[in-house]
Amino acid sequence: MIETPRLILRPHVLEDYNGLCAMFGDPDFYRLSGLTPQSPEEVWHRLLRYMGHWTAFGWGLFAAIEKDTGRFVGDTGLADFHRGLGPDFDLSPEAAWAITPACQGRGYALEAVRAAHDWFDATHPQRTVCIIDPSNTPSQKVAAALGYTAFADTTYKGHKVTQFERYP
């Protein structure tokens, strides 16, 4: 578990399912990606994948919980998603972050992502990567604040994305 001034980051638990369904089922969440909302079944598989990362690797995505309210605000961390984007991407842990639409614009993403990266750098220091839709400038700003730099453009699931890398 990691604490920041406003958040608690912890590995996902089954009780996060409703919060994940609300976030990944919200069409507004996808406004900057061109992707479509996920079904409850897809979210269930996502949750189990998140939980399995911790068992398989000793690292994974954290649920981000608002300290004052206990509200699920999103998730962040590092994962091995096997996206098939080539060895320059797939052989490195992939950073990910997602904040519910109701909690966006409050600085939670940077606060959570920075804390997760600080923990990962201290425990598993290595190159990390991420992909971001070119129209998602808020996520690009978070990536830049963490030291990510673009190294390639590609297509993932029919959508253009930029690949970024970071060294601790």
Side-chain angles (χ1 to χ4, degrees), residues 20-100:
L20 287 166
C21 277
M23 182 168 70
F24 288 109
D26 184 346
D28 195 40
F29 177 77
Y30 295 96
R31 73 186 181 285
L32 297 175
S33 72
L35 300 175
T36 57
Q38 293 186 338
S39 70
E41 178 185 15
E42 291 169 315
V43 175
W44 180 252
H45 293 160
R46 175 186 290 274
L47 174 60
L48 295 178
R49 181 176 65 218
Y50 286 177
M51 293 170 69
H53 268 80
W54 291 96
T55 300
F57 304 113
W59 47 269
L61 270 70
F62 296 95
I65 308 299
E66 198 172 47
K67 273 185 182 178
D68 291 346
T69 65
R71 174 173 59 165
F72 177 89
V73 300
D75 53 40
T76 187
L78 286 294
D80 182 353
F81 290 133
H82 278 51
R83 291 193 192 272
L85 296 177
D88 286 346
F89 189 88
D90 292 333
L91 296 179
S92 297
E94 179 182 348
W97 54 90
I99 301 296
T100 63

Side-chain angles (χ1 to χ4, degrees), residues 94-118:
E94 179 182 348
W97 54 90
I99 301 296
T100 63
C103 295
Q104 291 175 1
R106 299 180 187 183
Y108 282 148
L110 183 56
E111 183 176 332
V113 173
R114 187 179 309 280
H117 277 73
D118 288 349

